[in-house]
Amino acid sequence: DGGITQSPKYLFRKEGQNVTLSCEQNLNHDAMYWYRQDPGQGLRLIYYSQIVNDFQKGDIAEGYSVSREKKESFPLTVTSAQKNPTAFYLCASSIFRFGGATTYEQYFGPGTRLTVT
Amino acid sequence: SQQGEEDPQALSIQEGENATMNCSYKTSINNLQWYRQNSGRGLVHLILIRSNEREKHSGRLRVTLDTSKKSSSLLITASRAADTASYFCAIDVLGAQKLVFGQGTRLTINP
């Protein structure tokens, strides 16, 4: 799982509660990403950040929020507005070249499985 | 959809046989990447092939890319039980600066 840590591995919450998932990397990567994976499905991009204090919405950002106050950290908050939050959440990081066009290989954390009841 | 479409969705073969997975897409790309995911774990990068490359090798892996057909294939030779996993293609869409993942192929290697 490289130099990316996600905690906790399993998380249980009651419906209506916000919950924050942690993602930390020590790879000195500029870019960080959050993905959601549902059973038997591929990854869908929630948010990504290419530089500290800046981030962009991915394909399924509704009901989620992020911050990027430090290069090493990119926490994801699943808010009560997310209608179906139970899923496997994956954080990743990669090199990012400003002014470049290519997306480089991504390094993934071990994931957090969130269950909301 | 920009998403890579993978085929087959599931593949079961005997140990020692070769496994081939295919990925098709609809947009122009910078590169195409393949990842492996063991059950309940994070993804691991396997290989990246650029749009101007046609074939790339890494150990028992061989990836081909045909940009005219907008398709790629991943070949795993001499499969082992440890190769049992899901395999995903991810396309680096031209101008998007993010990856778009396919739905994956679940590969099972039977001993």
Side-chain angles (χ1 to χ4, degrees):
Chain A
D1 298 322
I4 299 185
T5 57
Q6 291 185 244
S7 61
K9 188 173 177 67
Y10 298 96
L11 192 52
F12 298 88
R13 280 293 184 271
K14 295 289 188 184
E15 195 173 324
Q17 293 179 334
N18 291 354
V19 60
T20 297
L21 281 59
S22 167
C23 178
E24 303 277 333
Q25 55 101 357
N26 62 2
L27 300 170
N28 199 33
H29 286 164
D30 285 298
M32 296 187 75
Y33 310 83
W34 273 106
Y35 295 93
R36 171 184 171 135
Q37 185 178 32
D38 292 287
Q41 301 297 312
L43 278 63
R44 291 185 290 168
L45 182 64
I46 304 172
Y47 269 98
Y48 63 106
S49 168
Q50 295 165 338
I51 191 172
V52 173
N53 292 323
D54 189 42
F55 47 82
Q56 288 78 41
K57 293 181 179 180
D59 301 315
I60 55 166
E62 187 176 348
Y64 300 97
S65 67
V66 293
S67 63
R68 186 88 187 276
E69 296 177 1
K70 298 187 300 182
K71 188 175 184 178
E72 301 79 18
S73 178
F74 191 40
L76 173 75
T77 296
V78 184
T79 75
S80 57
Q82 168 50 232
K83 293 186 183 353
N84 185 19
T86 294
F88 188 50
Y89 291 88
L90 287 158
C91 179
S93 71
S94 74
I95 293 168
F96 177 71
R97 303 281 187 226
F98 292 95
T102 298
T103 300
Y104 294 87
E105 64 181 274
Q106 296 186 2
Y107 294 77
F108 282 82
T112 291
R113 190 167 301 279
L114 173 64
T115 302
V116 176
T117 58
Chain B
S1 168
Q2 297 173 337
Q3 186 178 19
E5 300 290 333
E6 299 194 53
D7 173 61
Q9 291 189 341
L11 179 61
S12 181
I13 61 173
Q14 294 300 121
E15 195 166 19
E17 293 180 340
N18 295 343
T20 300
M21 290 156 269
N22 302 294
C23 174
S24 60
Y25 56 92
K26 297 180 180 178
T27 64
S28 296
I29 64 171
N30 290 311
N31 66 62
L32 187 145
Q33 303 179 27
W34 285 91
Y35 289 80
R36 183 186 75 225
Q37 183 182 34
N38 290 90
S39 182
R41 307 287 296 274
L43 278 69
V44 174
H45 182 265
L46 295 176
I47 200 162
L48 180 155
I49 186 165
R50 293 183 172 79
S51 61
N52 61 354
E53 297 176 312
R54 291 297 166 259
E55 188 170 311
K56 207 161 182 180
H57 296 254
S58 176
R60 292 184 296 113
L61 306 180
R62 175 182 155 230
V63 168
T64 61
L65 178 64
D66 187 334
T67 53
S68 66
K69 294 181 179 178
K70 289 186 164 53
S71 69
S72 174
S73 67
L74 170 66
L75 168 68
I76 303 174
T77 61
S79 64
R80 304 167 182 170
D83 294 329
T84 293
S86 291
Y87 292 82
F88 294 90
C89 68
I91 56 176
D92 178 15
V93 177
L94 196 63
Q97 292 189 320
K98 58 182 180 179
L99 293 180
V100 179
F101 284 82
Q103 293 193 319
T105 293
R106 291 189 310 279
L107 175 65
T108 302
I109 308 299
N110 302 302

